[in-house]
Amino acid sequence: FLQKRQGILDGVCITGGEPTLQKDLPQLLRSIKALGYPIKLDTNGCRPQMLRQLVSDGLVDYVAMDIKNSPERYGLTVGLEKPDLRAMEESIRFLLSGAVDYELRTTVVLPLHTEASVSQMGQWLYSLNGGEKIPRLYLQPFVDRDTVPVAGLSAPDASVLDTFVSKLTPFVAFVKVRGI
């Protein structure tokens, strides 16, 4: 498929589930790179060692990392009682180091995200960046689908997203809402 589309496609995005859980991911990326494609990796940051290795080996050109919520509401958002956030924090710090072009993004889901949790998320990211503003963060509204296993979730409207942007601006240099 990719061989036939050389010169037509701009690049390849590796997404999931969580792609860094696949032990053969480096081999796949080497094959794609051999065809000349730039590669974007979507990740939740749970495998910082794999992320570092992929970047070090030149197999990833851009990383989009999902920041699910504030530390206090992370477990609620991902469905785990007590998630270990150390791996995610290590991945965030690695991306903030500038080793690869990246974005941090949050899919905003009501009622999982609140003004308080968004503000706490901004404070958390700010602290991970040594008390300096995070360069950029994208907010995108949740889109309900038949495959979502939890009922009662919804997308925020534009005014709620604007409020969330205002809660983040003390901690993030550039906050943009996309997808509306």
Side-chain angles (χ1 to χ4, degrees), residues 19-95:
T20 63
L21 295 174
Q22 304 302 315
K23 64 180 179 194
D24 59 348
L25 181 61
Q27 294 169 271
L28 172 66
L29 298 183
R30 279 188 194 86
S31 298
I32 295 169
K33 276 293 194 182
L35 296 172
Y37 289 104
I39 297 172
K40 174 186 173 235
L41 176 69
D42 289 348
T43 184
N44 65 19
C46 71
R47 305 255 339 262
Q49 302 83 359
M50 172 72 87
L51 178 60
R52 283 180 188 277
Q53 191 61 54
L54 296 174
V55 170
S56 174
D57 290 348
L59 299 175
V60 176
D61 301 288
Y62 190 85
V63 175
M65 183 172 163
D66 293 319
I67 308 299
K68 303 297 186 182
N69 210 328
S70 65
E72 295 80 9
R73 294 182 67 91
Y74 223 91
L76 174 67
T77 306
V78 300
L80 295 173
E81 191 171 321
K82 290 188 178 190
D84 182 356
L85 298 180
R86 292 175 295 183
M88 275 69 93
E89 290 176 345
E90 185 178 335
S91 291
I92 292 166
R93 285 187 184 105
F94 173 68
L95 293 175

Side-chain angles (χ1 to χ4, degrees), residues 10-24:
D10 294 329
V12 174
C13 178
I14 305 297
T15 188
E18 175 53 42
T20 63
L21 295 174
Q22 304 302 315
K23 64 180 179 194
D24 59 348

Side-chain angles (χ1 to χ4, degrees), residues 105-139:
R105 63 187 186 191
T106 298
T107 300
V108 182
V109 184
L110 300 178
L112 301 176
H113 293 90
T114 65
E115 288 183 35
S117 75
V118 168
S119 180
Q120 290 164 358
M121 180 179 74
Q123 291 171 22
W124 177 48
L125 294 171
Y126 182 83
S127 73
L128 293 175
N129 200 31
E132 292 187 27
K133 284 188 173 188
I134 295 294
R136 64 188 167 275
L137 176 71
Y138 294 92
L139 298 179

